[in-house]
Amino acid sequence: MTEATDVYAPFDPAFQADPYPAYRRLRDDDPVHRHTDPPFWALSRFEDVWTAVRDHETFSSASGLTFYEDEIGKLGLAPTIVMLDPPRHAVLRRLISHGFTPRRTSAMETALRAFVRARLAEIEKREADGETVDLHQDFASPLPTFALAELLGVPEADRERFGPWVTALTTFQDRGFDMTEGPAVQAVAEMFEYFGQVVADRRAAPRDDMISALTAAEADGEKLTDWDVLGFCFVLVAGGNDTTGNLISHAVALLSRYPDQRALLARDPALIPNALAEFLRMEGSAQALGRTTTRPVTIRGVEIPAGEKVMMLYGAANRDEREFGPSADVLDVTREIPRHLGFGSGVHFCIGSHLAKLQARIALEELLAAHPDVEVDQPRAKRIMSPFTRGWVSLPASLGGPPRRG
């Protein structure tokens, strides 16, 4: 096990394994932190982060979402919707909303539930045969891959390609979007080639899928270009797959640490939607995202000059005792949470939040109904190492016996 540290060092394995002591120290002693190598600022208190991400005029997304310099230039591609500010961002989001609606995602519930039950049957068989169940690789992670493939209309034969793309793209972000070499470059090329052909096919022969809806979307006489559609596919695959899988895995890992809360959800599944906000608050998949200041701004007496990278430490803000009270570090699935940063806030509030919550709700409903005593083997679990995201490589688990469903 890696020892925890109270020093904010985003590349340190000890920090990445358990960043929360360092976050507490930042909130208490250095809420407007200046990091020197690489140079950036970091906000850690909830109110400061909440206010900043809702002020797109001062804290711009147009220079990228990490602390790396010129990440958009290194990418060598036009900015996607997450790297744009209003008014262009607002136009694209309005157009995309025509194809990516809550109604469209809700209509997927039957297919998602059937997939979850099939995955559960598979891991139940494996455990009965004496194999170790990896709750992340075998249950949580495949679900968003299936969901995105369904949403985008990807044939079943092509769906196995999503996993390697997601893995490579996550590494790609952590390396500062360096397009010079490595598997991530190949993943980007493969993904854009694939979806480029899909977009062309849907423009020629529309189907009942989201890409077809996006190619047809129109508002005030404007339509999405091929790049707009491709860029949104990029955002969905790169940002919506591993984050949702990690939300599910974090939920089960947290419930293993708090068996009273697990029993409460097993008895009353109606609490699961509220619990999802609490899981995101306690262990957010997105720990830090960057903005760039467009003007000098003073926060808590500290002036941040114009043109500076500022990291919004969502993982720190979501455990701020000033917002969530003295029990901010304790899981409480009944907690009232008027606001949190699990899906961001402001103009860049996660457009895929409906789909993420639907998947996580179904996964937990089915898992806890069949296996209310599911336990993760925390000492054998392996986390991803990233300065920006928090999640799992593997999460060994015991289902706690045969399924209890009828």
Side-chain angles (χ1 to χ4, degrees):
M1 296 289 291
T2 305
E3 292 294 326
T5 177
D6 66 352
V7 177
Y8 177 56
F11 293 103
D12 183 353
F15 167 80
Q16 292 178 2
D18 182 8
Y20 300 109
Y23 287 159
R24 177 187 288 273
R25 185 167 180 177
L26 285 179
R27 290 194 305 267
D28 290 346
D29 302 333
D30 193 12
V32 185
H33 172 74
R34 178 60 173 168
H35 196 274
T36 56
D37 187 22
F40 64 87
W41 300 81
L43 304 182
S44 52
R45 290 188 184 176
F46 184 91
E47 192 64 43
D48 297 340
V49 176
W50 178 267
T51 301
V53 297
R54 296 169 70 83
D55 180 5
H56 63 268
E57 293 183 347
T58 304
F59 296 92
S60 169
S61 299
S63 294
L65 305 179
T66 74
F67 45 61
Y68 293 111
E69 290 297 324
D70 194 31
E71 63 189 74
I72 296 177
K74 291 177 182 176
L75 186 61
L77 300 167
T80 63
I81 188 173
V82 296
M83 294 180 176
L84 293 171
D85 293 327
R88 184 57 187 166
H89 171 272
V91 172
L92 286 184
R93 184 155 180 139
R94 185 169 67 252
L95 284 165
I96 287 169
S97 69
H98 285 278
F100 194 41
T101 62
R103 179 180 297 180
R104 182 177 292 276
T105 56
S106 296
M108 298 171 62
E109 179 161 354
T110 299
L112 293 174
R113 197 173 294 276
F115 181 84
V116 167
R117 289 176 176 174
R119 295 308 304 172
L120 275 177
E122 175 63 27
I123 62 176
E124 288 161 2
K125 180 179 183 300
R126 291 185 184 182
E127 185 164 270
D129 291 342
E131 297 182 34
T132 298
V133 169
D134 186 327
L135 196 81
H136 186 70
Q137 292 291 338
D138 300 335
F139 180 69
S141 188
L143 177 56
T145 300
F146 171 81
L148 290 178
E150 285 283 299
L151 192 67
L152 297 172
V154 177
E156 190 168 344
D158 294 337
R159 294 183 180 185
E160 63 183 21
R161 304 173 69 176
F162 273 65
W165 286 344
V166 171
T167 300
L169 289 172
T170 301
T171 305
F172 184 46
Q173 172 182 269
D174 294 343
R175 291 171 48 236
F177 301 93
D178 184 354
M179 285 288 286
T180 57
E181 59 181 9
V185 177
Q186 182 178 351
V188 171
E190 289 179 357
M191 194 180 77
F192 276 94
E193 180 181 8
Y194 180 86
F195 282 111
Q197 186 59 55
V198 173
V199 170
D201 291 345
R202 298 301 187 270
R203 287 200 187 279
R207 302 182 187 179
D208 185 20
D209 58 38
M210 194 186 75
I211 290 183
S212 295
L214 292 175
T215 60
E218 183 175 348
D220 299 329
E222 182 168 354
K223 291 189 173 185
L224 293 168
T225 66
D226 284 2
W227 165 249
D228 294 332
V229 179
L230 282 171
F232 186 58
C233 291
F234 179 97
V235 169
L236 278 180
V237 175
N241 197 303
D242 61 327
T243 52
T244 303
N246 285 321
L247 165 59
I248 297 166
S249 291
H250 277 137
V252 182
L254 285 165
L255 292 174
S256 291
R257 286 169 46 198
Y258 295 88
D260 60 322
Q261 301 293 291
R262 183 180 61 204
L264 186 58
L265 290 187
R267 288 195 307 269
D268 188 0
L271 293 174
I272 290 177
N274 188 77
L276 294 178
E278 179 73 343
F279 298 141
L280 282 166
R281 188 191 69 79
M282 285 284 290
E283 287 275 31
S285 301
Q287 288 281 297
L289 287 176
R291 300 289 192 269
T292 301
T293 51
T294 61
R295 62 177 179 84
V297 59
T298 300
I299 301 173
R300 303 196 181 278
V302 178
E303 181 177 291
I304 302 175
E308 295 281 298
K309 291 272 190 173
V310 183
M311 296 307 294
M312 308 295 165
L313 301 185
Y314 294 154
N318 275 330
R319 292 202 184 196
D320 190 349
E321 301 87 344
R322 298 158 189 81
E323 176 72 15
F324 302 104
S327 66
D329 277 330
V330 177
L331 182 74
D332 178 2
V333 298
T334 66
R335 185 190 303 272
E336 292 186 10
I337 310 177
R339 56 183 188 169
H340 67 90
L341 289 157
F343 290 117
S345 187
V347 298
H348 285 287
F349 181 81
C350 177
I351 197 169
S353 61
H354 293 288
L355 181 58
K357 289 188 287 187
L358 176 65
Q359 294 173 76
R361 174 176 63 79
I362 292 170
L364 292 175
E365 285 173 351
E366 295 295 331
L367 178 63
L368 292 175
H371 301 282
D373 299 318
V374 59
E375 290 272 1
V376 303
D377 188 348
Q378 188 72 51
R380 294 175 56 207
K382 183 179 179 182
R383 281 198 172 276
I384 60 173
M385 292 288 105
S386 166
F388 309 115
T389 59
R390 185 160 172 81
W392 302 94
V393 175
S394 62
L395 193 63
S398 168
L399 297 178
R404 299 191 186 183
R405 57 180 175 269

